[in-house]
Amino acid sequence: MALLPILQYPDSRLHRVALPVTAVDEAISLLIKDMAETMYAAPGIGLAATQVDALWRIVVIDNSATHDQLRVFINPEIVARSGVSDFEEGCLSVPGIYEKVPRADRITVRALDAQGQHFELEADGLLAVCIQHEMDHLDGKVFVDYLSRLKQQRIAEKMKKQRRRGA
Ligand code: NI
């Protein structure tokens, strides 16, 4: 297993669209393991493949307090949504920024699990928001894309400054 570098906003590669997984083979299984390890090490509660520069429709999430409830979503699709959520979101690709963006409070999602088996999950609250956030990444969308242009520019400046300081 390996820790993968997480692309940092405003990296244009974060805006690429991921492709559906056609077979859960060894390479995909390894990617999922590496993504989970990377997410836990960050630490974070969700990671999409596009964030580690892998253009597959794969999301890993663990929002449990014990960090031992890994959820894997391959080719996820939201088939129902309702309500309006009220969570501040953060993102491993935009460290230190937390904002509210419009999300459904309750969703039904269909996906394949890490073994390639179909499943359906009803989620609400933080988990529902997290799934929507990570699925956006698969379509090349970062949560700050929902914010005003001015706010986006400020965040991009802040990120660049942080990186210069870190370098
Ligand atoms: Ni994110």
Side-chain angles (χ1 to χ4, degrees):
M1 294 207 283
L3 290 182
L4 305 168
I6 299 173
L7 299 180
Q8 298 294 299
Y9 184 84
D11 192 315
S12 61
R13 288 173 291 178
L14 286 168
H15 299 300
R16 295 191 298 180
V17 176
L19 299 169
V21 173
T22 50
V24 182
D25 57 17
E26 229 172 282
I28 292 292
S29 296
L30 182 63
L31 173 60
I32 290 168
K33 284 189 186 121
D34 288 346
M35 284 174 61
E37 196 187 353
T38 302
M39 173 186 75
Y40 285 121
I45 61 169
L47 187 71
T50 41
Q51 288 180 276
V52 292
D53 208 18
L55 294 183
W56 297 113
R57 301 191 79 81
I58 301 171
V59 162
V60 295
I61 291 175
D62 187 345
N63 68 320
S64 70
T66 45
H67 311 296
D68 58 358
Q69 312 277 314
L70 181 67
R71 298 173 188 271
V72 176
F73 303 82
I74 300 172
N75 302 340
E77 268 183 275
I78 293 175
V79 294
R81 60 179 83 221
S82 62
V84 180
S85 94
D86 194 31
F87 275 95
E88 259 189 358
E89 297 180 24
C91 180
L92 292 176
S93 293
V94 201
I97 305 294
Y98 300 90
E99 295 280 352
K100 280 180 189 170
V101 306
R103 305 283 187 199
D105 178 55
R106 175 173 287 272
I107 60 170
T108 305
V109 59
R110 280 188 198 145
L112 303 178
D113 66 17
Q115 281 72 46
Q117 301 298 309
H118 288 271
F119 72 97
E120 193 173 288
L121 173 75
E122 277 183 40
D124 61 9
L126 177 61
L127 179 58
V129 169
C130 193
I131 293 169
Q132 292 167 85
H133 174 117
E134 300 309 335
M135 284 181 64
D136 267 357
H137 277 301
L138 302 180
D139 289 321
K141 194 160 185 182
V142 181
F143 80 116
V144 297
D145 296 342
Y146 288 97
L147 306 175
S148 72
R149 211 162 176 85
L150 183 65
K151 253 186 178 173
Q152 288 181 40
Q153 280 167 2
R154 280 195 192 140
I155 291 168
E157 288 300 316
K158 194 174 168 189
M159 293 295 109
K160 283 177 192 161
K161 242 179 245 170
Q162 272 180 17
R163 223 156 304 145
R164 274 201 298 273
R165 238 176 282 141

